[in-house]
Amino acid sequence: MTTTPRSPRLLLLSTVMLAVAGAALLGMPHGQMSPIPAVSPTAHAATEPTAGVFAPAAVKPPVAAAPSSPPVSTPAVLESALPPHGEGTAGDTAIQRALEAAWPPDLPARDARELLSAGRSLLRADATGIGRASWPGVFPTSGQGLVPAFATAGFRVQAAIARRDGAAGRAVVHLVWAGTDRGGAFTDGRITDWHFTRTITTKGASTWTPQPRT
């Protein structure tokens, strides 16, 4: 059985068409065999939020800050507010004001008055020896004959405050004072603290009891 040979022209045309199709396929990007339909930007934004992009909020004009409360006085500030040593009684008022500014009142007025009176009395008894017998729990009888470290003349309390001392039922009296020691040297601005605890008497009344100095 024989077949009729194809026309050379038909073979040439077929070869050219295959070459053109192959070139077109090779020109396409890898993996992109068919055109991808375009997606509307509006529809994309409505259905999928953009990930990893931060949209800054609208910038608002600066708002003036309200004045802050006055800062708590630091030791350096307090020291600069105190009068110089040797100022005399004229500087005592400034010391009192500095103490009150540094430690605002936190005790009932009646308790504060009782504590201040006791603190002043204890300081005088401790420094000059006057009135020690009134505080037997603080100054034992064996110590009544001790020579006081400071003379009565020139002794004065420059400033004093009474405040809470941590836990309930405890208080402390801060005193700033001046005095002349046995060597004749006068020094002001001395600091002493007396600690107290609240106790209940047999009659049910409360009172403040000083703690011995350690």
Side-chain angles (χ1 to χ4, degrees):
M1 178 177 180
T2 60
T3 57
T4 304
R6 297 184 179 182
S7 170
R9 179 178 292 182
L10 180 59
L11 292 174
L12 179 61
L13 182 60
S14 299
T15 302
V16 172
M17 291 180 64
L18 290 174
V20 172
L25 290 174
L26 292 174
M28 286 186 178
H30 178 69
Q32 185 175 347
M33 301 303 294
S34 59
I36 301 176
V39 179
S40 171
T42 304
H44 178 78
T47 57
E48 292 186 21
T50 304
V53 178
F54 172 73
V59 178
K60 297 182 180 179
V63 180
S68 59
S69 57
V72 178
S73 300
T74 61
V77 174
L78 289 175
E79 185 177 353
S80 64
L82 296 179
H85 289 287
E87 185 73 9
T89 57
D92 294 352
T93 301
I95 299 175
Q96 182 68 39
R97 289 176 179 173
L99 282 178
E100 293 175 351
W103 293 282
D106 56 7
L107 286 169
R110 180 178 178 180
D111 289 334
R113 287 193 299 268
E114 180 182 347
L115 287 163
L116 286 173
S117 177
R120 291 171 181 270
S121 177
L122 283 164
L123 176 60
R124 178 178 291 275
D126 187 34
T128 68
I130 298 177
R132 289 185 178 180
S134 301
W135 306 97
V138 179
F139 306 104
T141 306
S142 59
Q144 295 295 331
L146 292 178
V147 178
F150 291 85
T152 304
F155 172 85
R156 80 175 190 276
V157 176
Q158 297 179 266
I161 58 172
R163 298 293 184 263
R164 296 184 186 275
D165 187 23
R170 298 177 59 182
V172 59
V173 177
H174 302 280
L175 301 112
V176 181
W177 56 285
T180 303
D181 61 25
R182 286 182 292 178
F186 175 83
T187 307
D188 59 359
R190 295 177 179 273
I191 299 175
T192 297
D193 290 341
W194 284 98
H195 296 268
F196 294 78
T197 57
R198 186 192 294 275
T199 57
I200 305 299
T201 65
T202 55
K203 297 182 179 180
S206 64
T207 186
W208 291 97
T209 302
Q211 302 303 299
R213 296 288 302 276
T214 56

